[in-house]
Amino acid sequence: MNKQPFTGKPLSRLEGHQKVTGSAKYAGEYEAEDLLYGYVVNSTITKGKIISIDKSEANKLEGIVEIFTHENRPSTGWFDFQYADMDAPPGTVFKPLKDNDIKYNGQPIALVVATTFEMARYAAYLIKVTYKEEEFTTDLKANYKLAREPKKGLASMLKPPPPKPTGDFEKAYKTSFVHHEGIFNHGTENHNPLEMFATTVIYEGKNKLKIYDKTQGTINSQLYVANVFGLKMKNVQVIAPFVGGAFGSGLRPQYQLFMAVMASLKLKRNVRVTLDRAQMYTFGHRPPTLQYTKFGANANGKVNAINHKAIGETSQFEDYVEVVVNWSAMLYPAENTLLEHKLVPLDVYTPLDMRAPGGSTGMHAIEITMDELAYQLNLDPLELRLINYSEIDKTTGKEYSSKELRACYLKGAEKFGWKERNPKPLSMKRGNKLVGYGMATGIWDANRLLARAQAIMTSDGKVTIKSAVTDIGTGTLTVMTQIAADELGLSIEDVTFLYADSKMPFAPIQGGSFTVATVGPAVKAACKALNKKIFKKAKKIEGSPLEKVKFEEVTFSDGCIIVTNDPKLKCTVQDVFKTNDGKEIKTTNTSMPNPLQYRKKARAVHSAVFVEVEVDETLGIIEVKRAVTAVAAGKIINPKTAESQILGGMIWGIGKALHEETITDHRFGKYMNANLAEYHIPVHADIPELGVLFVDEQDDFVNDLGVKGIGEIGIVGMAPAISNAIFHATGKRINDLPIHFDKLL
């Protein structure tokens, strides 16, 4: 009766042993009889047409089964509508091998299928392609004047456009006591997950497929395959129980899925296609973005004018949009705002979501501009943010369902030791190192979508929960098991969570920090419905002590239904199954937010980030020495996996600020460092002392569990906090990311 809940406990990952021992299987590791291997050939030009593809030398090799190009690929059933998957932006979905047009450098133009991976790869290098090149443009800076408004589409539901202007910005800005204008350049970044993209297709006959795919949405990949190849949804099963890193790269189906399915259907064989590290740079990226800010404040530090403009890169065939400029007015309630976001179509592949898409880009410009105002006003940067604290989202005029950002500021500052900061730049030293303290605010949406879950109890009293949701390494499996165990009154060992299979009840793509808030309530609803079903059967047992008891008056615990106020009155689940002929009892339930109710309040997760850096006075080398992130994200289901998420975001933020950069040679329209040797990411030596604290935040509005997402909030404030710390240390304000030592010499 007094059993402690599992939610709120720091439970270790239930699949952890499988992952560290190597027994967990990923998309490219499933065994299949008579398996064929595909290797993709990519274009070496940026724009133009294929004149000819000479496959003669490759076809002479033993073990080559087929070489697919636009000339001999099988016909597909592309639907005549805009979206082939649930995460497609407005425009025309890219169709691999559709024709001889080259739209971007690295575009897939052929697939070699062979009996071994090594033979397929070798044959790919023997293929000779003749092109007719055309003029192209890939430089955002050189073409920023071509910026236009984004096209509208379904994606704007989760990525709303900037709100309309308010007040009179120009007048307010000119008459502000202090004002600051900034220009920011955010370069291209590419996903580099440990697991590269792979698809293994098992051909089960009569166009029926079982697909092991690297994806953040099994049903999304199923939808894509069915749409593209004109197959029945029931004949396409997508499975992805283990995903070796994704954070946006797996939201949209990538071209290896198309290639593998195409070859399997045509050859009626089992086929695997795996991309190599360089090919991981050919299907999307965090887009380079130019930003312009103009903030004004009165003598008391109240921000009264905000202008934030962003110009982002997109492809020529789709309009990829991020929420970059909306955040400032969501945090700081200025009466006069002008927020703008435009796109420049270039000869590149469509950008794609990368952890906190738009948020980590926009908050960098916003929080540096706020830092500048603080120095002009001779205010502590923390004090300036407290002066401008608001419980209202100015972009909608709605009150936040919960907002403990003030507690984040105060508790984070205390844990970090912010009061030890000398406010004057260039004032703190440690030997030959300049020491700087910087801080920034973080914000991200707290969204929730529709999801379904199934709960099945067997005669031994154990329960299996099913959902199509994936687990990209965030701890979804563990957290959902905790939620179910608490609702059912069972131990963790008696609950099995089965997931990442498109045949299971619907779950959306895992992204946007909405998974626990979306799937968690569905799991809770299914478990509650299962309890009710069992309770009803228990009441009907002859002589049942529960005959006159209401459902609200009982507690489920360790396989028993107990009258809460009289624990002596109880019925075991075993008794129920005896009258049910031992048959399993199951229920499937849907959970979704009430759209009318949900519109009444704004919803967000917040953070405050504090960072200390050291900068070598002679060499300009930057080291992040320590950082603290305080987070307000509703109820924390599992503090251990939650802390891991925030730490991962903080490390990625260090990479964003100081390391990560994809270099394009615009003479060739080509990435020059498509490898982990030259695309720098943080390593162990770069990771300092990191601290995470979660402040208490009660929120009964966001969902039944009171939870908010935490996948993105860990990264959004790190880069600006590091930038602000570097300014405090050196007196030099650098707005371009990443910040290299040469900019400080």
Side-chain angles (χ1 to χ4, degrees), residues 484-505:
D486 276 356
E487 189 65 29
L488 295 164
L490 296 175
S491 67
I492 290 290
E493 292 74 22
D494 289 332
V495 178
T496 301
F497 184 67
L498 299 181
Y499 62 105
D501 186 333
S502 63
K503 295 286 187 182
M504 294 178 182

Side-chain angles (χ1 to χ4, degrees), residues 710-728:
I710 54 172
E712 265 88 1
I713 193 63
I715 187 176
V716 289
M718 274 299 285
I722 292 170
S723 297
N724 291 338
I726 290 171
F727 174 75
H728 180 238

Side-chain angles (χ1 to χ4, degrees), residues 31 41 150 193 219 299-300 346 351 372 386 423 547 573 621 721 727 742:
E31 297 174 3
V41 180
I219 290 178
N300 296 322
L346 298 170
E372 279 287 345
L386 290 170
E547 184 179 0
V573 171
I621 296 171
F727 174 75
D742 59 304

Side-chain angles (χ1 to χ4, degrees), residues 184-395:
F184 303 82
N185 178 31
H186 171 285
T188 305
E189 295 175 18
N190 276 84
H191 281 280
N192 275 288
L194 282 175
E195 180 199 13
M196 290 174 281
F197 275 80
T199 302
T200 302
V201 182
I202 309 300
Y203 185 79
E204 297 183 324
K206 297 182 180 179
N207 289 342
K208 190 176 180 181
L209 306 175
K210 179 183 288 185
I211 303 169
Y212 298 98
D213 188 38
K214 174 169 174 136
T215 178
Q216 288 174 246
T218 56
I219 290 178
N220 197 31
S221 288
Q222 178 194 34
L223 179 71
Y224 174 85
V225 170
N227 281 343
V228 170
F229 294 97
L231 303 177
K232 294 178 180 178
M233 288 281 285
K234 66 178 182 180
N235 287 340
V236 180
Q237 181 182 16
V238 179
I239 302 171
F242 297 104
V243 180
F247 289 99
S249 59
L251 289 176
R252 297 192 70 182
Q254 304 303 351
Y255 62 75
Q256 93 289 336
L257 173 61
F258 172 90
M259 297 290 200
V261 172
M262 173 194 68
S264 180
L265 288 173
K266 176 64 176 177
L267 301 173
K268 302 190 185 317
R269 299 272 298 273
N270 302 329
V271 177
R272 174 178 298 154
V273 177
T274 304
L275 302 185
D276 62 26
R277 182 59 63 184
Q279 290 169 332
M280 294 288 289
Y281 288 73
T282 63
F283 58 71
H285 51 278
R286 195 194 294 274
T289 305
L290 301 174
Q291 297 181 77
Y292 308 86
T293 61
K294 295 167 74 174
F295 285 18
N298 64 25
N300 296 322
K302 198 75 174 175
V303 177
N304 57 13
I306 292 177
N307 174 213
H308 189 181
K309 179 180 180 180
I311 299 176
E313 171 189 278
T314 193
S315 68
Q316 297 283 8
F317 48 90
E318 289 178 311
D319 269 17
Y320 172 81
V321 180
E322 296 183 331
V323 178
V324 178
V325 302
N326 303 22
W327 311 103
S328 53
M330 292 173 68
L331 280 171
Y332 309 118
E335 295 298 325
N336 306 280
T337 63
L338 178 59
L339 307 176
E340 308 166 84
H341 189 186
K342 295 185 177 182
L343 298 177
V344 177
L346 298 170
D347 296 309
V348 297
Y349 188 74
T350 309
L352 85 172
D353 292 339
M354 181 182 279
R355 200 172 196 166
S360 63
T361 302
M363 289 307 298
H364 180 251
I366 294 164
E367 290 301 288
I368 286 180
T369 307
M370 288 293 289
D371 204 58
E372 279 287 345
L373 290 184
Y375 280 103
Q376 289 188 37
L377 289 161
N378 199 27
L379 282 175
D380 185 315
L382 177 57
E383 184 182 353
L384 176 65
R385 286 162 175 82
L386 290 170
I387 289 171
N388 287 279
Y389 188 86
S390 173
E391 297 289 345
I392 303 294
D393 172 5
K394 192 69 176 177
T395 65

Side-chain angles (χ1 to χ4, degrees), residues 1 68 116 123 149 178 222 231 240 274 316 372 414 438 463 578 580 653 738:
M1 289 290 292
F68 293 97
T116 67
E149 295 290 333
V178 295
Q222 178 194 34
L231 303 177
T274 304
Q316 297 283 8
E372 279 287 345
E414 182 181 4
V463 174
K578 287 176 185 177
N580 198 50

